[in-house]
Structure formats: C-alpha cells, structure tokens
Amino acid sequence: MKVLVANLGSTSFKYRLYDMESETQLARGGIDRIGGSESSCSVEIGDWKENRTAHVPDHAVAVQQCLSQLTDPEHGCLKSADEVAAIGFKAVHGGRVSGVQRVTPDVLDAMAEMSPVAPAHNPPYINAMRLLGEKLPEIPLVAAFETGFHQTIPNRLRYYAIPKGWSDEYQIKRWGFHGASHRYIGVRSAELLGRDDLRVISCHLGGSSSLCAIRNKRSAATTMGMSPQTGLPQNNRVGDFDAYFLPMLMEKTGKSLEELLAYLGSQGGLLGISGGISGDMRDLEEAAAGGNADAQLAIDVYISEIRRYLGGMLIELGGVDAIVFTGGIGENGKQVRADVCANLSELGIELDAAKNDAAKGESAIHADGGKTQIWVIPTNEELIVARQTKQLLES
C-alpha cells in the first residue's frame, strides 16, 4: 500500500509518499505559489531531484502535477497513479469530528464550524479537500485530526470554567493540537527506552509550540486549548491571554474585535514581545547576544512559560521518566533546551552540557545516572498520518 501524505497551505502543497509495507519514504516534494502565474514544483525521489515551473491554478492541479512527477518514466517511483491508495491529511480541527475519518461532506462541515478558531488552518484544507474530492474522486481522502490524540485527556483537564452548556453545545473545550507529533514522540520514546509504561513530557517547540504529558503512549494533558492560538507563546501568535482586555483595547484603539484577533494572531507571540524584531528564535538569540533587551525578554517569557507548564505536567504524571525535545527549536535550540532544564537537578532532571551541545538527530542528552532521561527526537508527523490512513483503509 502506498499513501500520499499532504500538508496544505492556502497557496502551497507539500507531500511525502510512503510504501506502507516497509514504512519507507519513497518521495517528497512540494508546490509553492499555487494560483499564481507560475508555480515552483519540486520533487525528490532517492538521489534524483527536480525543480520545474508550471501553471498550477488550484490544489487539484497541484496533486495531478505531483503525480506526474512521481510517475515520470525515467525517474519516477510509481508505474501509475493508481498505485496511490489514498491521500492522508494532517487535519487540524473538526470539533465534534475527531480521530481519523474519511473525508465526507459532514466532515468538511464540521471543519467549517471550527474555522473561526482555526482561521489559518481549516479554510485552506476545506477548500482543497472539496476540490480534490470533485476532481480526483478515484482517490480516497483521509483526515487524521490533530485533536484525536488528545481524546484520552480526562474531562477535568478538558473543560473550561464556563457554563457547561456552552462547552457541550458549542464545543468549547481544551482540544489540544500537534497530535501527530506528540503521538510519534510517545511511540518512539517507548521504542528507544524499551518500555510501554513511560511517563513522557513531549516538548514540541517550533514556530508553533506545545507540551504534552504522555502516559503509556496516551495523551494525559496538553498546553493548547480550544484553538491552535493558545498555550505557549508562538512565533507570531499570542498564546494564552486574558480575554477581558479585548473590550478595553477595542475602546482605546478603535479597532473591531475581528481586527484585534487578526493582529494578535499575526503580530503577537515572540514577534510581539520583542517589539517586532522577529518571531524566529535564531534571530532573537542573535539580537539578545548583541544586547537587545526586548529580544532577551521574548526568550525569557518563552522559557518561563515552558517551565511553568512542565512543572504542572510533572505533578499530573506523578513524576517523569523522559523529557523529549522535538520541532525546529526543540531539535536545534541547544540553549533553549539548556534553559528549560536549568536548576532542576533536585527533581531528577539534569542535562549534560557536552551531550546537549553535540546533539544531532536522535540523541540522549541527560547526565549519566540521571533519574530522568532527556532526549532530542526529530518528529515524523507524516509517518503517523500515513499509518493512521493505512489503518483506516484496512478497517
């Protein structure tokens, strides 16, 4: 069985193709500037790489373009597009619909209901899925929702302190996201440590960040709530904040609620705290090293929020066997890892500075004899989606 895993943006289509018998990645590629006069189409199949330009008016044509490259007579890895058993999507928020689902009109309607709280994610997926369903009806479409992994979180950690009718009728709950990444970390940690009963805190740190407490490979708590805008500060999204200051800002700025939410969703987070320097941790660390106080403040807030949530998860799990760093910052930010783990030796959490500095790929970075193992593990969300797609097709 071969599964194509799609990662969509409003004007982009990135993909990986897997042979699920061996879970081998056969190809990867992407198309940018969909809908423009000229789109860039890239593909990697083994050692062969190709970049070409073409007119790609919509996502359906983007899929057809990628299938054309994958079936290239000389370099392709498919004899025919019919070999693709399904397209799997790392879908974000379906509210009342979660887990792994075949894409149907009802699934798309459920995603549309959640578009107000996932405005950057749901609309492009909905539009592309509708289009692909119409133009490529022969290929099954499967949505693996990020919220699915967090369905095992107990209700006491999912309900907000609001009228319960609102929670049940309008789906206002702590849903959690980055489900594919945290699921992968739960599974891979168990493989590396040789145990299925682990208590793991997965730190997915990148342009979008969240922590997840994992017990026995299942989600027990997470930092994101009703929307992907919540929890830790993101690169340019605000994270958690007090909603009661919005009426005050509306009055003082003259901006509408929609304008303020759009601003918080694009100019908040690390970008906002730093005074507009950057939402990229690399830029902030460089600026802070040069003495910029606002850049240092942004870093300090980010680290402090990670540590605050980490402490809560330690209590929820009753201790921790492993802390795992993943995501762009988690995998590459050695200073962030060091700061998160600083002065925690009395809790059994002790980083080895030399191992941390040298970490590349899957790496253990805890001090010898430490009670808690600390790892860097590159995530593989696409493989998780491919596995979930395969499982659904075979059920």
Side-chain angles (χ1 to χ4, degrees):
M1 180 186 293
K2 296 178 177 65
V3 173
L4 189 72
V5 177
N7 188 351
L8 304 180
S10 58
T11 61
S12 66
F13 171 80
K14 298 178 182 178
Y15 67 89
R16 296 192 187 192
L17 179 69
Y18 289 93
D19 181 340
M20 295 310 296
E21 183 176 352
S22 59
E23 293 194 343
T24 302
Q25 179 180 294
L26 300 176
R28 63 184 296 173
I31 298 178
D32 293 320
R33 299 180 182 177
I34 294 172
S37 58
E38 196 172 71
S39 303
S40 173
C41 311
S42 64
V43 64
E44 296 179 22
I45 303 174
D47 295 330
W48 179 62
K49 297 181 181 180
E50 181 189 69
N51 287 282
R52 67 171 73 157
T53 57
H55 178 54
V56 182
D58 55 48
H59 283 84
V61 175
V63 173
Q64 291 168 332
Q65 179 69 37
C66 93
L67 291 174
S68 173
Q69 291 175 306
L70 295 174
T71 56
D72 180 88
E74 183 176 356
H75 301 286
C77 55
L78 299 176
K79 294 180 180 179
S80 166
D82 294 340
E83 292 184 55
V84 176
I87 301 176
F89 298 89
K90 186 169 68 70
V92 176
H93 205 342
R96 58 182 172 83
V97 172
S98 191
V100 187
Q101 308 281 341
R102 282 185 181 266
V103 176
T104 65
D106 183 61
V107 169
L108 294 174
D109 288 345
M111 292 176 66
E113 292 166 12
M114 293 295 106
S115 288
V117 293
H121 304 85
N122 276 19
Y125 270 83
I126 294 168
N127 292 337
M129 287 173 174
R130 288 193 195 280
L131 193 61
L132 291 172
E134 293 170 1
K135 293 191 176 182
L136 300 170
E138 69 279 7
I139 302 179
L141 307 181
V142 176
F145 286 98
E146 290 193 347
T147 54
F149 182 58
H150 303 296
Q151 290 177 310
T152 52
I153 293 176
N155 281 338
R156 59 185 171 80
L157 297 178
R158 298 194 70 181
Y159 275 76
Y160 291 103
I162 59 175
K164 188 169 181 294
W166 293 359
S167 299
D168 296 336
E169 183 176 355
Y170 305 125
Q171 309 297 319
I172 303 175
K173 301 174 185 177
R174 293 186 177 95
W175 288 98
F177 301 92
H178 294 140
S181 178
H182 293 308
R183 187 188 298 271
Y184 179 82
I185 295 303
V187 171
R188 186 60 182 149
S189 297
E191 292 172 347
L192 290 170
L193 277 66
R195 288 174 52 189
D196 287 334
D197 62 343
L198 290 175
R199 297 165 299 174
V200 177
I201 298 178
S202 171
C203 304
H204 179 107
L205 309 178
S208 177
S209 300
S210 71
L211 269 59
C212 181
I214 301 171
R215 181 187 290 111
N216 305 334
K217 296 190 285 189
R218 295 185 175 188
S219 178
T222 190
T223 56
M224 280 185 171
M226 173 66 178
S227 82
Q229 317 287 99
T230 51
L232 297 172
Q234 315 294 318
N235 63 344
N236 61 354
R237 301 199 299 261
V238 66
D240 282 344
F241 69 96
D242 188 336
Y244 283 88
F245 73 62
L246 285 172
M248 182 192 75
L249 281 175
M250 292 171 66
E251 180 181 345
K252 291 185 176 295
T253 65
K255 296 183 181 295
S256 67
L257 177 61
E258 291 75 15
E259 289 172 325
L260 286 176
L261 291 176
Y263 195 80
L264 289 171
S266 62
Q267 302 299 313
L270 301 180
L271 176 65
I273 301 170
S274 69
I277 292 173
S278 179
D280 189 302
M281 183 58 66
R282 294 165 295 187
D283 297 335
L284 294 173
E285 289 179 336
E286 182 180 351
N292 188 288
D294 288 338
Q296 187 61 57
L297 176 63
I299 295 171
D300 291 345
V301 169
Y302 185 63
I303 298 297
S304 295
E305 286 295 280
I306 294 171
R307 285 166 63 90
R308 181 168 71 89
Y309 280 114
L310 185 73
M313 290 182 174
L314 277 167
I315 293 173
E316 179 62 31
L317 292 173
V320 62
D321 299 301
I323 296 172
V324 177
F325 291 94
T326 193
I329 296 174
E331 293 169 29
N332 301 297
K334 59 184 179 181
Q335 188 59 52
V336 169
R337 297 193 299 260
D339 290 345
V340 168
C341 296
N343 304 315
L344 299 180
S345 57
E346 290 190 12
L347 298 176
I349 300 168
E350 191 169 357
L351 201 69
D352 183 295
K355 292 178 183 177
N356 183 47
D357 287 346
K360 187 175 182 180
E362 288 187 344
S363 307
I365 58 174
H366 49 273
D368 292 340
K371 179 181 177 183
T372 299
Q373 295 202 23
I374 308 172
W375 282 78
V376 176
I377 301 179
T379 194
N380 194 334
E381 297 169 289
E382 291 83 6
L383 178 58
I384 290 295
V385 173
R387 287 173 176 172
Q388 291 177 305
T389 300
K390 177 177 181 287
Q391 185 176 13
L392 179 69
L393 292 179
E394 292 179 341
S395 63

